[in-house]
Amino acid sequence: MHILVTGGAGFIGSNFIRLILKKYPGYKVSNLDKLTYAGNLENLLEVECCKNYRFLKGDICDAKICQRLIKTCDCIINFAAESHVDRSIVSSQEFIRTNVIGTDVLLSLAKKYKIKRFIQISTDEVYGSISAGEAREEEKLKPSSPYSASKASADLQALAFYKTFRLPVIITRSSNNFGPNQYPEKIIPLFITNIIDGVRLPVYAQGKNIRDWIFVLDNCRAIDLVLHKGKPGEIYNIGAGNYLNNITLARLILKEMGAKQDIIRFVPDRLGHDFRYAINSKKIRNLGFKLKYTFLEQLRLTINWYIVNCKWWKPLKKY
Ligand SMILES: NC(=O)c1ccc[n+]([C@@H]2O[C@H](COP(=O)([O-])OP(=O)(O)OC[C@H]3O[C@@H](n4cnc5c(N)ncnc54)[C@H](O)[C@@H]3O)[C@@H](O)[C@H]2O)c1
């Protein structure tokens, strides 16, 4: 099988590529990535010499380069995206370009070249804030931020390609990922690296907003399952049930790192800040998925990874 991974130099994509090449030595993986500020080829040092792996620098909005790759592959897994909510609040243009137009370029070429599987990597944020209970896959989409609105648009376009052309599209919507190689603007690596640098931890409002945390390799394992056993036209939520509010998360990381609790700094709330995300993951479990990792153990592993890999993240930090 030849898989085209887009955005494979980012956090989840690079973890996914490493997992796939280890698990399926007979598969071929092509990685198309624009190398934006979030893309980093150091995430892939471990596999760069594999003869069944190749990297191509390019933009998913560029139909010419995408066509060259899609012509020869069986499946596409689209991780490529602008992924940071705060940046989408500052300016949404790149979010529309990559997340919506880029996805449409890939879908159109996938249709042209009769791709066997198109996996669109989406997010629980498309459901918007869930005041009680958990969103199922058929829940109405109510995105709040320009980021989640662009992801929801891409989901709808992907589903339209399934309905109109029977393109075998599958969508995954995971909760918040954490783990090694995550860009230090995201909350868990932001807190860990601030603590290492002795900088205070910015927490929005009172820190009461709730997120579900999944270890990145559990999400990658679920995507692998969907790639092999998922049903075209379906959406799969991928959650872990590790619900934590931001202030609890900050205090836990401080405690695990042996730092003083008084370095938390409350900052004005994010505009349009969703209070709570919660997804129901029964459908992916019915497909055979079981979580392998526990939150606290992987949080400790992640803290350790950032302590050991200062060289990776130090050049990315701005204070
Ligand atoms: N990180 C999370 O917690 C989370 C949760 C749910 C869903 N997701 C989704 O998972 C996917 C991957 O997220 P991530 O956290 O790894 O993001 P990331 O920001 O770490 O990586 C994104 C990658 O896409 C590349 N990219 C951006 N624009 C591109 C373009 N036009 N053409 C080609 N490559 C481009 C970047 O260079 C980068 O390597 C995204 O689609 C995101 O919406 C992320």
Side-chain angles (χ1 to χ4, degrees):
M1 170 140 67
H2 180 189
I3 308 172
L4 170 61
V5 171
T6 64
F11 166 47
I12 307 175
S14 61
N15 275 283
F16 182 78
I17 289 176
R18 297 199 305 262
L19 175 90
I20 288 293
L21 288 172
K22 201 183 276 173
K23 187 165 172 195
Y24 307 102
Y27 284 15
K28 196 172 152 189
V29 174
S30 296
N31 173 15
L32 176 71
D33 196 297
K34 187 179 172 185
L35 297 182
T36 65
Y37 78 94
N40 190 340
L41 288 180
E42 282 182 38
N43 298 346
L44 294 155
L45 287 178
E46 194 182 306
V47 297
E48 70 177 10
C49 293
C50 291
K51 55 179 187 320
N52 49 341
Y53 166 76
R54 69 171 164 159
F55 170 74
L56 244 117
K57 184 174 176 193
D59 190 329
I60 59 166
C61 299
D62 178 348
K64 251 193 194 156
I65 191 165
C66 291
Q67 171 158 318
R68 256 176 44 211
L69 285 166
I70 291 174
K71 257 182 183 174
T72 63
C73 74
D74 306 300
C75 305
I76 301 174
I77 309 186
N78 182 27
F79 291 92
E82 287 295 331
S83 67
H84 194 46
V85 176
D86 289 341
R87 287 180 189 254
S88 80
I89 294 168
V90 175
S91 169
S92 53
Q93 219 177 338
E94 275 304 299
F95 288 74
I96 298 301
R97 211 186 75 85
T98 290
N99 302 4
V100 185
I101 298 173
T103 301
D104 180 62
V105 168
L106 295 173
L107 287 165
S108 302
L109 290 166
K111 170 180 161 263
K112 182 170 174 188
Y113 291 102
K114 300 188 171 45
I115 289 302
K116 296 194 193 88
R117 273 268 194 287
F118 187 110
I119 303 193
Q120 174 63 12
I121 305 299
S122 186
T123 163
D124 61 355
E125 301 198 23
V126 296
Y127 300 118
S129 199
I130 304 294
S131 51
E134 293 175 331
R136 303 182 78 98
E137 286 82 354
E138 55 275 14
E139 185 89 18
K140 217 165 133 188
L141 302 187
K142 280 193 195 155
S144 306
S145 70
Y147 162 68
S148 53
S150 69
K151 295 296 289 184
S153 308
D155 284 14
L156 294 179
Q157 187 69 337
L159 290 172
F161 269 70
Y162 172 72
K163 285 184 193 139
T164 309
F165 308 113
R166 292 285 141 189
L167 181 71
V169 165
I170 306 177
I171 294 173
T172 67
R173 293 181 180 149
S174 83
S175 56
N176 276 27
N177 286 225
F178 72 102
N181 303 101
Q182 187 167 30
Y183 196 86
E185 67 189 351
K186 303 280 167 54
I187 189 166
I188 288 185
L190 174 80
F191 286 172
I192 297 171
T193 54
N194 274 21
I195 294 168
I196 297 172
D197 280 347
V199 174
R200 296 172 80 187
L201 312 189
V203 172
Y204 281 128
Q206 300 303 306
K208 298 282 196 265
N209 300 63
I210 298 165
R211 300 293 182 260
D212 167 27
W213 291 98
I214 185 165
F215 184 57
V216 62
L217 286 180
D218 264 334
N219 184 24
C220 292
R221 289 173 57 247
I223 296 167
D224 172 24
L225 180 70
V226 166
L227 172 68
H228 292 92
K229 299 228 174 93
K231 198 169 152 229
E234 296 291 321
I235 300 164
Y236 295 92
N237 287 342
I238 306 169
N242 296 313
Y243 296 111
L244 281 179
N245 66 30
N246 289 342
I247 189 70
T248 307
L249 179 67
R251 290 196 177 121
L252 178 62
I253 295 174
L254 286 164
K255 180 172 157 251
E256 287 297 322
M257 296 182 71
K260 283 198 182 134
Q261 294 286 330
D262 63 1
I263 65 164
I264 291 169
R265 171 173 69 97
F266 292 103
V267 297
D269 206 357
R270 169 191 272 169
L271 298 177
H273 203 175
D274 282 330
F275 183 69
R276 176 175 177 267
Y277 295 134
I279 46 176
N280 179 303
S281 303
K282 213 170 165 186
K283 196 164 159 185
I284 189 85
R285 282 203 304 272
N286 287 343
L287 201 65
F289 179 67
K290 276 198 194 99
L291 292 164
K292 181 170 169 186
Y293 302 98
T294 58
F295 177 74
L296 192 57
E297 261 173 52
Q298 296 316 308
L299 181 66
R300 287 177 180 151
L301 174 142
T302 304
I303 290 171
N304 195 48
W305 189 88
Y306 282 89
I307 290 172
V308 172
N309 290 282
C310 283
K311 262 198 190 151
W312 182 91
W313 59 264
K314 283 262 183 200
L316 311 175
K317 289 287 278 192
K318 286 182 204 100
Y319 293 108

